[in-house]
Amino acid sequence: MNSRALTIGHLARETGTKVETIRFYEKSGLLPAPARTEGNYRSYDRAHLNRLSFVRRARDLGFSLDQVRALLALSDDRDQSCAAVDAIAKEHRSEVERKIADLQSLKKELDRMIDHCGCGVVADCRIIESLSPDGRT
Amino acid sequence: MNSRALTIGHLARETGTKVETIRFYEKSGLLPAPARTEGNYRSYDRAHLNRLSFVRRARDLGFSLDQVRALLALSDDRDQSCAAVDAIAKEHRSEVERKIADLQSLKKELDRMIDHCGCGVVADCRIIESLSPDGRT
DNA sequence: TCTTGACCCTATAGTCACTACAGACTGTAG
DNA sequence: CTACAGTCTGTAGTGACTATAGGGTCAAGA
């Protein structure tokens, strides 16, 4: 194996990804299948490393694998307008905003439930009560 | 089937749950297996309806099925201290708080990416750039 | 009585994004 | 030569459902 070739383990350490996940990305078409050594080990280069870093960064930002696939396809087509990229990012941002709003109203309900808990017996528990069909607040 | 007995379809409509989900809850031990009619249809009563409503409400509040199982067990034991219930709710609340914080910092990054997008060509796209390994901002 | 159509049954597989095995092979250091 | 770390393929498991296939049941209308 030449000096610039990377094993799957190297790639994993460099990118903070599990080995299984890299193989999973390959099977899912996010990473191209690399060359193999004589012993049938995967042999990666810098381009693979860059591509995997891109995938990981996008995943960290919460893009779905489908969105990552789309972003990769777009990033490969350097002359295309970047409006499509912008659209994916904005769609994702509004999903995130919606989730934040949902979780905030959820938290308010949990706060209310917990504040009312006198911590006596379950029979008088306001948390259980507010979960039950006839005690909605 | 007597007048107070409910089919799975009734239960589904009353609680806004899909029929398949009710069967799934039964298989998962969240709902007791109901009596069957001669034709092998599930036959539910008010107690089932209440229990399913409890489950749905707890799920709406984001409790996991495991947490719901625990809450159900506790709610059945009316004489026990409600401290355990309080603990589950509080644990869940801190999970929710953590998720909100995570999503908020995520949103900030997305905002920054999107704000910088000049919407020209992909080659100059700041979104793609900030996803790529050597353009981390 | 027959038929239509809504409803129900079980069992199985698919979703998402991995993660965890089992069982075998390869490569390297002592 | 032997240990042991690393890699290979393939399969199954996670959570919380959802969807489908291939059947059976029930009530109403012709």
Side-chain angles (χ1 to χ4, degrees):
Chain A
M1 200 178 271
N2 83 49
S3 66
R4 292 188 305 179
L6 300 160
T7 66
I8 197 168
H10 288 126
L11 211 61
R13 273 187 294 278
E14 290 265 323
T15 58
T17 314
K18 298 207 172 178
V19 166
E20 294 85 354
T21 305
I22 298 177
R23 289 197 280 250
F24 166 77
Y25 285 164
E26 180 183 326
K27 217 169 43 182
S28 318
L30 283 158
L31 289 180
R36 297 291 181 124
T37 65
E38 281 183 11
N40 199 33
Y41 282 19
R42 286 171 178 80
S43 177
Y44 296 98
D45 58 22
R46 285 279 131 193
H48 290 103
L49 181 58
N50 288 342
R51 199 161 181 97
L52 179 55
S53 303
F54 185 102
V55 172
R56 293 304 292 178
R57 173 110 179 103
R59 291 285 306 128
D60 283 348
L61 288 170
F63 288 95
S64 72
L65 290 193
D66 264 356
Q67 288 174 321
V68 177
R69 249 183 291 269
L71 289 171
L72 278 170
L74 291 166
S75 78
D76 286 342
D77 192 354
R78 314 282 295 162
D79 294 331
Q80 202 184 311
S81 154
C82 108
V85 174
D86 196 56
I88 292 173
K90 281 185 175 157
E91 195 205 309
H92 179 45
R93 180 173 58 179
S94 31
E95 273 168 43
V96 169
E97 283 165 353
R98 196 179 37 69
K99 275 187 202 162
I100 290 173
D102 285 355
L103 285 173
Q104 274 167 344
S105 63
L106 192 60
K107 178 172 144 49
K108 261 186 209 152
E109 282 213 66
L110 289 170
D111 284 343
R112 219 172 42 228
M113 270 174 38
I114 291 165
D115 287 351
H116 281 105
C117 178
C119 266
V121 204
V122 165
D124 307 317
C125 179
R126 299 296 299 267
I127 297 176
I128 293 289
E129 198 179 306
S130 60
L131 288 166
S132 299
D134 293 327
R136 278 254 138 108
T137 306
Chain B
M1 203 176 271
N2 84 48
S3 66
R4 292 186 305 178
L6 299 160
T7 67
I8 198 169
H10 287 125
L11 211 61
R13 273 187 295 279
E14 291 265 323
T15 58
T17 313
K18 297 208 175 178
V19 166
E20 292 85 355
T21 305
I22 297 177
R23 288 197 280 249
F24 166 77
Y25 285 165
E26 180 183 325
K27 216 168 44 181
S28 319
L30 282 158
L31 289 178
R36 297 291 181 123
T37 66
E38 281 183 12
N40 199 33
Y41 282 21
R42 285 172 179 80
S43 178
Y44 296 98
D45 59 23
R46 286 280 131 192
H48 290 102
L49 181 58
N50 289 341
R51 198 157 182 101
L52 179 54
S53 303
F54 185 103
V55 172
R56 293 304 292 176
R57 174 112 179 102
R59 292 287 303 129
D60 283 349
L61 288 171
F63 289 95
S64 71
L65 290 193
D66 266 356
Q67 287 175 320
V68 176
R69 249 183 291 270
L71 288 171
L72 279 169
L74 291 166
S75 80
D76 286 342
D77 193 353
R78 315 281 295 162
D79 293 331
Q80 201 183 311
S81 155
C82 106
V85 175
D86 196 55
I88 292 173
K90 280 182 176 160
E91 194 204 310
H92 180 44
R93 180 172 60 177
S94 31
E95 274 168 43
V96 169
E97 282 164 353
R98 195 177 39 69
K99 275 188 200 161
I100 290 174
D102 285 355
L103 286 172
Q104 274 167 344
S105 63
L106 194 58
K107 179 173 145 47
K108 260 185 210 153
E109 282 214 68
L110 288 170
D111 283 343
R112 219 171 45 227
M113 269 174 40
I114 292 165
D115 287 349
H116 283 104
C117 177
C119 265
V121 205
V122 167
D124 307 317
C125 180
R126 298 297 300 267
I127 295 175
I128 293 290
E129 197 181 306
S130 61
L131 287 166
S132 299
D134 292 328
R136 278 256 137 107
T137 307

